[in-house]
Amino acid sequence: MLLPLLTLGVFLSAKPPADEKVFTPCPASAPEEWTAARERLLALDARLEALPDDGDGKLGVSALRELLMSRCFEMSREEPEPVPEDVPLLGLKTWWKEGGRSWVESYLELGKPGTRTVVLPPEARDVLTLETVKPDHRLAGMLCSSKDAACAKETEAWSGRMEASFLRELERKADKAEAKLEAEARKACVNDAKPRPKRWRYTAWRSCEGGTKSFEKVLPVVRLRAPTEGWLVLRGRRGHYSFCDEVRAYHLETGAAWVSQSCSRLSLYEDAERIGRVDVETTQANRRPQVTAGALSRELLRELTWVLLLGEEGISVERARPVTRTVPAGYAIEWRERPSGITTMAGMGGGSMWFHSGQTHLSWTWFPPAKGEPLTGEVTWPESADPAENHADELIVALEETFKPGCPSSPAPVDLLDFTRPAGVSAVDAPEGVDQEQDELLTALRDWKPPPGCSATGK
């Protein structure tokens, strides 16, 4: 096997064949050419900004590809199809602002002397608007048209906070084991390029870097109106050794809050035969049920509901944001192609998840007004490796810190609660399940007696 590899190396080191194509950046010695390219970039930037969000995406993609085929940007062919041809214009404009423009602009810097860097562009995200989903989509009734910029105006701050939570997760990954894997992948790309003929080293290195994927979770580009009515119901167990089985009902219109909970602490056997197993009888005997009513922040409640509705819409992309890489010293900046190609590493990719024994699951149900179809899901509590779930957990904590006990402004939605179910509890912690306890939580709500001067009831 060694001989054929050596022969291939000699062949590639020889005079370039006639069918070998070479693409290079604009040299610093051609300022007029560079200036003209810069003006074309600025013109495209202005054109994309001026196009309406509901416009024809193909017009934008066509203008982008026309620019990329021009002299100073033709090295962009090293990144195959950065955006699909059928991307909605709103998705293209978002991609451009979030890293596409930085990627294109980077080709104007590659021809300058000194340390050179390349930018790997982000992947274009899916778009979630009324026009991009089927009529039976679970969120169709809440989605805004891309023509209606005011529809989701109220949720812009919520979207920003949710995007920030995803960014924090990316930064957390960069600080941990993923950073080691990335460093190994980058080193492997350099090592793969070293034995190549000099003229092919940049191509081999850039191909390898481009093949390195992180498969990060992001939200689609979304236009979802704020939920302002109905009930949000959270059910399940919070806590591990000390825990509460709960039903919580929150009214989005008034902020009314009802909490029915049964709290206890796991009692464990200590004899040699059953050590570590749950003493169900003692655990049940230690339960302390209670019902509390009052009010909490409507604004935070509506934001939490919006986040929960979007949580299941998260998507995995190969690269969520632009990545900058320094070109190894001594590499000639030239992208080469020929029909026979050149073998390079395909890069590396991966993702991560984590969990611990203190996590449980909470089920949630949003009952929209006018007997609309309820939407349901689950979140991992009290923290999660999923950035959408983790953001929801943080909002639950912030929301419930605003709770003030008192006379609720709306009666408990006991009829709706019959259509909800709690998330399962580990058979290790609850060997006999918690169905009976969950039924008792609903009964306690129905039997709740208001304090003097309060007319609200649980019935």
Side-chain angles (χ1 to χ4, degrees):
M1 184 64 184
L2 181 59
L3 182 58
L5 287 177
L6 291 174
T7 303
L8 176 61
V10 172
F11 173 75
L12 290 176
S13 299
K15 182 180 179 181
D19 64 347
E20 187 170 294
K21 296 181 180 179
V22 183
F23 303 91
T24 59
C26 281
S29 58
E32 293 183 359
E33 190 175 36
W34 188 95
T35 300
R38 175 74 176 174
E39 290 176 352
R40 287 195 295 270
L41 171 64
L42 295 177
L44 175 63
D45 186 53
R47 181 177 180 182
L48 291 178
E49 180 65 28
L51 289 173
D53 290 347
D54 62 320
D56 187 351
K58 291 183 178 180
L59 294 177
V61 173
S62 177
L64 171 64
R65 291 181 174 177
E66 183 179 351
L67 174 71
L68 296 180
M69 288 188 294
S70 63
R71 167 65 186 93
C72 290
F73 301 103
E74 58 188 359
M75 278 191 68
S76 63
R77 60 195 299 122
E78 64 192 9
E79 191 71 33
E81 195 174 72
V83 289
E85 187 176 3
D86 60 349
V87 64
L89 188 55
L90 179 59
L92 174 63
K93 293 175 69 172
T94 302
W95 170 84
W96 181 255
K97 292 177 181 178
E98 294 182 348
R101 188 187 191 281
S102 298
W103 167 64
V104 175
E105 193 169 22
S106 69
Y107 289 106
L108 293 177
E109 306 301 312
L110 278 180
K112 294 183 178 181
T115 301
R116 278 76 54 86
T117 60
V118 299
V119 175
L120 309 180
E123 182 178 343
R125 293 186 280 157
D126 293 343
V127 174
L128 198 61
T129 63
L130 191 60
E131 291 85 2
T132 63
V133 301
K134 296 181 179 179
D136 60 351
H137 189 280
R138 57 189 288 275
L139 297 179
M142 293 290 294
L143 287 171
C144 302
S145 168
S146 57
K147 302 176 183 179
D148 188 357
C151 174
K153 189 71 176 178
E154 184 180 347
T155 67
E156 287 181 355
W158 304 352
S159 180
R161 287 191 282 271
M162 196 169 185
E163 293 281 1
S165 72
F166 278 76
L167 181 59
R168 287 195 298 272
E169 175 62 16
L170 293 179
E171 292 172 343
R172 183 199 67 80
K173 289 172 62 178
D175 291 339
K176 295 192 175 183
E178 288 82 354
K180 182 179 179 181
L181 291 175
E182 180 181 308
E184 291 175 352
R186 295 176 67 178
K187 183 178 179 180
C189 287
V190 174
N191 291 339
D192 178 64
K194 279 182 179 179
R196 308 287 181 174
K198 286 185 178 181
R199 69 179 190 277
W200 279 100
R201 286 177 186 169
Y202 174 85
T203 300
W205 171 80
R206 179 60 177 79
S207 296
C208 180
E209 285 285 3
T212 302
K213 313 297 183 183
S214 53
F215 299 103
E216 297 154 339
K217 190 169 184 180
V218 298
L219 283 177
V221 181
V222 63
R223 293 276 178 87
L224 185 74
R225 63 171 49 90
T228 58
E229 298 178 284
W231 287 88
L232 177 67
V233 177
L234 302 175
R235 294 189 65 172
R237 175 170 292 192
R238 301 194 194 187
H240 184 36
Y241 292 109
S242 294
F243 66 87
C244 291
D245 290 309
E246 298 181 340
V247 173
R248 294 173 178 254
Y250 301 143
H251 192 222
L252 274 72
E253 187 173 0
T254 65
W258 294 83
V259 181
S260 180
Q261 55 187 184
S262 176
C263 302
S264 184
R265 180 177 178 83
L266 292 180
S267 178
L268 305 178
Y269 289 111
E270 297 182 357
D271 58 277
E273 183 178 348
R274 300 175 296 179
I275 189 168
R277 291 166 56 187
V278 175
D279 178 349
V280 175
E281 184 175 349
T282 303
T283 299
Q284 295 294 77
N286 291 334
R287 281 185 176 273
R288 297 292 181 268
Q290 70 170 14
V291 174
T292 308
L296 36 64
S297 167
R298 289 185 301 171
E299 176 69 16
L300 282 175
L301 173 57
R302 293 171 180 180
E303 181 176 357
L304 169 62
T305 305
W306 184 86
V307 167
L308 291 172
L309 293 174
L310 277 180
E312 295 185 10
E313 301 300 325
I315 55 177
S316 179
V317 297
E318 294 180 347
R319 193 181 300 121
R321 53 181 174 172
V323 176
T324 301
R325 293 286 184 260
T326 300
V327 181
Y331 283 18
I333 308 296
E334 49 187 30
W335 177 259
R336 290 179 176 268
E337 297 176 359
R338 74 163 182 259
S340 56
I342 179 172
T343 303
T344 66
M345 283 184 59
M348 298 177 64
S352 69
M353 62 175 296
W354 52 267
F355 60 91
H356 58 77
S357 60
Q359 291 173 316
T360 62
H361 290 89
L362 304 180
S363 67
W364 62 267
T365 305
W366 176 55
F367 292 94
K371 296 183 180 180
E373 186 71 22
L375 296 173
T376 65
E378 285 190 3
V379 293
T380 304
W381 175 267
E383 56 188 353
S384 172
D386 184 299
E389 288 188 351
N390 204 49
H391 185 49
D393 289 337
E394 293 171 353
L395 280 173
I396 290 173
V397 172
L399 169 67
E400 292 172 355
E401 286 178 348
T402 69
F403 176 78
K404 294 180 179 179
C407 184
S409 54
S410 296
V414 290
D415 293 338
L416 297 179
L417 295 178
D418 288 332
F419 295 93
T420 65
R421 292 291 181 270
V425 177
S426 167
V428 175
D429 293 346
E432 298 179 4
V434 292
D435 288 348
Q436 179 179 340
E437 290 73 19
Q438 284 289 331
D439 289 342
E440 290 173 354
L441 292 175
L442 300 188
T443 300
L445 271 177
R446 291 187 176 93
D447 295 341
W448 181 79
K449 304 298 183 185
C454 178
S455 60
T457 68
K459 296 182 180 179

